[in-house]
Amino acid sequence: MPVERFSDTSPRFFEPEETVELARYVDITKFLSLLKDEQLFFCRLDNQEDKFEGTFPKISKKEFGDFYRNLSDTGFFNNPMTEEEIEKEINEDFEFRKKLKALYCVNCWNEFKGESYALWKIYSDLNQGIMIKSSFKRIINALKESKEKVYCSKVKYIDYDTDSIDIGNTMSPVVHKHKAYSYENEIRLIHEVSNIGWENEKYKNGIKVNVNLVKLIDEIVISPFAPEWFSDLIRDILDKYSLNFKLIDSKLK
């Protein structure tokens, strides 16, 4: 199924321009897995180490309260809600939305504005790191034959103590992150799954989505800290899989 594009009927998210360049920093293990399986791994949102992933900022509790009070004041309920009942609704709403985290899986890229030492260090093995370059247009074409529905959104960075997001949009917590991660300039692919069989051991970490590697990858960049023989190793691996991607050294080398 093609990438689901933003429209009047889609969830609200921040679709990038098709021409935006993307980068994904990986170690050799993840790179080999991509080549072998021809699949992108989408990690469950509830398995991310960032505790703010998929959550609402503090101010959202007040906004949910105002929402229920407004419904009560306009006679939506048979009887006006007490503050205790409103608080109960808010807490139940928050608990329900926490569970929704398990139904979203993400595959994360970075908007490419030049190489980042921080991203090399955090997301790849510096001595055996690889950066895959692509673009949103390439991703659209690479996922055309996949059966899973995938969205693509820029990530918006917020202060979870003071900022607000759209509480009426279930996608909002998925496309926002803490401002401490703003250096990532993340653009993420998002897949929403059914909870049917989600407890299956096979899906405990996430899912894999079929992808056309030739359409996905523009070029491959070798870490500036990799030894000389590493480029030859990557070329041999590409030859094994009959892939003729452009292979270049990092400009930080």
Side-chain angles (χ1 to χ4, degrees), residues 144-159:
K144 275 186 177 178
E145 303 304 319
S146 173
K147 64 180 181 179
E148 290 83 4
K149 181 189 294 185
V150 173
Y151 301 99
C152 182
S153 177
K154 295 181 180 179
V155 169
K156 299 293 184 179
Y157 299 93
I158 62 171
D159 186 327

Side-chain angles (χ1 to χ4, degrees), residues 1-7 9-16 42 104-107 136 139 143 148-154 171 174-175 187-192:
M1 179 179 291
V3 172
E4 186 81 0
R5 304 303 299 272
F6 181 77
S7 68
T9 58
S10 74
R12 294 185 292 280
F13 57 95
F14 313 109
E15 185 177 86
F42 284 63
Y104 286 99
C105 299
V106 296
N107 178 263
F136 181 35
I139 285 176
L143 291 175
E148 290 83 4
K149 181 189 294 185
V150 173
Y151 301 99
C152 182
S153 177
K154 295 181 180 179
M171 184 75 81
V174 186
V175 296
I187 293 179
R188 57 178 36 171
L189 303 179
I190 304 162
H191 174 61
E192 183 179 4

Side-chain angles (χ1 to χ4, degrees), residues 166-178:
D166 181 3
I167 63 172
N169 177 14
T170 56
M171 184 75 81
S172 282
V174 186
V175 296
H176 288 86
K177 289 183 69 171
H178 197 286

Side-chain angles (χ1 to χ4, degrees), residues 222-237:
I222 301 297
S223 168
F225 306 97
E228 294 298 326
W229 54 263
F230 188 65
S231 292
D232 293 333
L233 173 64
I234 298 301
R235 174 53 64 197
D236 288 345
I237 292 171

